[in-house]
Amino acid sequence: MEAYLDPETYGPYLDLALGYTLQLLGALLIFLIGKRVAKALGNVTNKAMSKYGVDETLTKFVSSSVYFVLLVVVIMAALGQLGIETTSFMAILGAAGLAVGLALKDTLANVGAAVIILIFRPFKVGDFVEAGGATGTVESISLFTTTISPVDNRTIIVPNAAITAGNIVNFSNKPHRRVDHVVGIGYNDDLKKAKEVLYGVIRDNPRTLDEPAPLVAVSELGDSSVNFTVRAWVKSEEYWDAYFGIIEEVKLALDANGITIPYPQMDVHLDSTENEEPQA
């Protein structure tokens, strides 16, 4: 006997199964096509930002964010195709996002600070900066922290939010920096000769620049010395070599020309009258 399905008995079930099958196929197509579209848009975002020279860290972050946001939209659309009510899922996701945001507010603040740093670029990797309580060379910038290496070769990891919350001093942003020193001489020394000697030190130093012009000027008549302000411009990468070199050369030049560098002194006078015996 040939087996067959009675349309009157099994027809409604067949229609229901066919309907679910079509819904499942539709949801699967939405997911597969939507996933490819989301990935393609993420790649387009990546290429566009790279073309305009946006920092690689920010580029990866934005392109990944675009992909995952679109993927969530695709998943919601696929679930809707299956006849699943997505309103409750959206509410759950919203509540979960709020909870995660509150729990990770400091971390998200660091991410926001990283976006500011990478977009406005107050400094870049390799710059010598003072930021977030640390001073040194920037080694890396990530979404959460910035790694700074001081001159003693330590590693300081600074949260990005701490950097953007305060002042940022970039010592490498300009091609030239000014070296400032204060040099004191004795009141009995020859003022004009001392000035010529200090100018000679600046002029003969191979790291100092002729333009902008250096400066040697009397800036203060101190308690125990006549103070000169000595200023010279150097290349930014040679700043510390010039800074310490000029100090040494100033001392040697002043000694060679018989000019003293005074130091604070205190004269103590003893009053002997208090210990004298009263005369009869």
Side-chain angles (χ1 to χ4, degrees):
M1 183 176 63
E2 186 177 344
Y4 70 94
L5 297 178
D6 185 2
E8 294 182 0
T9 305
Y10 297 102
Y13 298 104
L14 292 174
D15 293 339
L16 186 62
L18 180 60
Y20 277 124
T21 301
L22 292 176
Q23 287 182 335
L24 182 60
L25 290 175
L28 186 60
L29 286 174
I30 290 175
F31 177 76
L32 294 176
I33 296 174
K35 184 179 179 181
R36 290 198 173 196
V37 171
K39 187 174 182 179
L41 290 176
N43 291 334
V44 168
T45 303
N46 193 341
K47 292 180 180 179
M49 296 182 70
S50 299
K51 180 180 178 180
Y52 288 98
V54 180
D55 188 90
E56 183 179 357
T57 303
L58 181 59
T59 299
K60 290 182 178 179
F61 173 71
V62 173
S63 59
S64 298
S65 299
V66 169
Y67 171 72
F68 284 113
V69 169
L70 292 177
L71 187 61
V72 170
V73 173
V74 169
I75 292 174
M76 291 295 106
L79 292 176
Q81 177 63 27
L82 289 174
I84 300 174
E85 181 60 43
T86 58
T87 304
S88 57
F89 282 100
M90 294 300 294
I92 293 173
L93 286 176
L98 178 61
V100 171
L102 292 175
L104 302 177
K105 61 179 181 178
D106 294 335
T107 301
L108 294 176
N110 289 326
V111 174
V115 173
I116 293 174
I117 292 172
L118 295 173
I119 290 178
F120 293 100
R121 301 179 70 83
F123 56 81
K124 62 182 182 298
V125 173
D127 285 353
F128 191 87
V129 301
E130 177 183 340
T135 302
T137 303
V138 179
E139 290 189 341
S140 64
I141 305 171
S142 68
L143 288 177
F144 304 103
T145 60
T146 294
T147 302
I148 296 176
S149 178
V151 292
D152 57 2
N153 208 28
R154 290 176 295 154
T155 297
I156 303 176
I157 300 175
V158 185
N160 290 329
I163 293 177
T164 56
N167 295 332
I168 300 173
V169 182
N170 190 337
F171 297 99
S172 302
N173 194 38
K174 303 289 186 180
H176 301 146
R177 288 184 63 186
R178 192 180 70 190
V179 177
D180 292 349
H181 288 299
V182 176
V183 179
I185 66 170
Y187 274 94
N188 294 327
D189 292 310
D190 189 332
L191 185 69
K192 292 184 178 180
K193 181 179 180 180
K195 190 172 184 178
E196 292 176 359
V197 170
L198 294 175
Y199 261 123
V201 170
I202 299 300
R203 183 179 60 252
D204 296 338
N205 190 294
R207 296 185 179 89
T208 58
L209 303 174
D210 295 331
E211 290 294 335
L215 171 69
V216 177
V218 177
S219 57
E220 182 185 15
L221 300 177
D223 294 336
S224 58
S225 64
V226 177
N227 295 330
F228 284 90
T229 293
V230 179
R231 294 174 177 173
W233 290 88
V234 299
K235 295 180 180 179
S236 295
E237 61 270 19
E238 296 181 346
Y239 176 84
W240 289 111
D241 291 334
Y243 183 90
F244 294 119
I246 289 174
I247 293 178
E248 179 179 349
E249 292 164 8
V250 164
K251 178 64 169 66
L252 294 174
L254 292 179
D255 289 346
N257 287 272
I259 300 172
T260 60
I261 301 178
Y263 51 87
Q265 302 182 41
M266 179 181 294
D267 294 332
V268 179
H269 301 276
L270 297 177
D271 188 357
S272 60
T273 58
E274 295 182 358
N275 298 324
E276 293 180 356
E277 295 290 338
Q279 298 180 355

